[in-house]
Amino acid sequence: QVHLVDSGGGMVQAGGSLRLSCVASGPTFADWSMAWFRQVPGKARHFVASISWNGESTHYADSVKGRFTISKGNAKNTIYLQMSSLKPEDTAVYYCATDSFPVEAYAHYGPVHWGQGTQVTVSS
């Protein structure tokens, strides 16, 4: 069974930066892509960014392009989301996720495995 643990959230002022981490374990993880989503209370969960299993392909939501970077760690079971130039509207709970999708598919389909979420709060 795939298990995801995401962390790194916190409170930051607008214009600041944060880095989220996600560590995955489980027998099916090795060649699966991974992604980040975010959710504001009372609203649907939205795609943020995704990365292929080997780190060679990435895909971003338009709202975060040029500000957020998704990457793989040296350990292939770890991904990061470097968030810069943060805005108050980036405030949300951020979730790591994984499935066998191509990276572009996360923008349209919900993955099967999710982390527990980490809160990011950006103050103005």
Side-chain angles (χ1 to χ4, degrees):
Q1 181 174 346
V2 177
H3 184 58
L4 304 175
V5 178
D6 37 39
S7 62
M11 184 176 292
V12 65
Q13 288 189 326
S17 300
L18 277 176
R19 190 177 81 157
L20 306 183
S21 301
C22 176
V23 180
S25 60
T28 58
F29 168 75
D31 56 353
W32 281 20
S33 54
M34 296 183 73
W36 289 98
F37 287 72
R38 65 187 181 186
Q39 186 173 25
V40 175
K43 296 194 174 181
R45 199 168 292 186
H46 290 289
F47 167 75
V48 174
S50 55
I51 189 165
S52 60
W53 69 273
N54 58 5
E56 292 183 357
S57 297
T58 57
H59 188 61
Y60 295 92
D62 288 343
S63 59
V64 305
K65 279 181 182 176
R67 300 188 300 120
F68 291 10
T69 302
I70 189 170
S71 62
K72 279 269 190 176
N74 289 332
K76 293 300 183 183
N77 65 335
T78 302
I79 64 168
Y80 303 101
L81 185 68
Q82 178 68 46
M83 306 184 293
S84 302
S85 301
L86 282 162
K87 305 174 182 180
E89 51 264 43
D90 294 318
T91 296
V93 177
Y94 284 71
Y95 296 89
C96 175
T98 188
D99 208 313
S100 57
F101 298 158
V103 293
E104 297 83 2
Y106 285 94
H108 307 286
Y109 301 103
V112 64
H113 299 291
W114 296 91
Q116 83 283 2
T118 185
Q119 175 71 47
V120 171
T121 302
V122 184
S123 61
S124 58

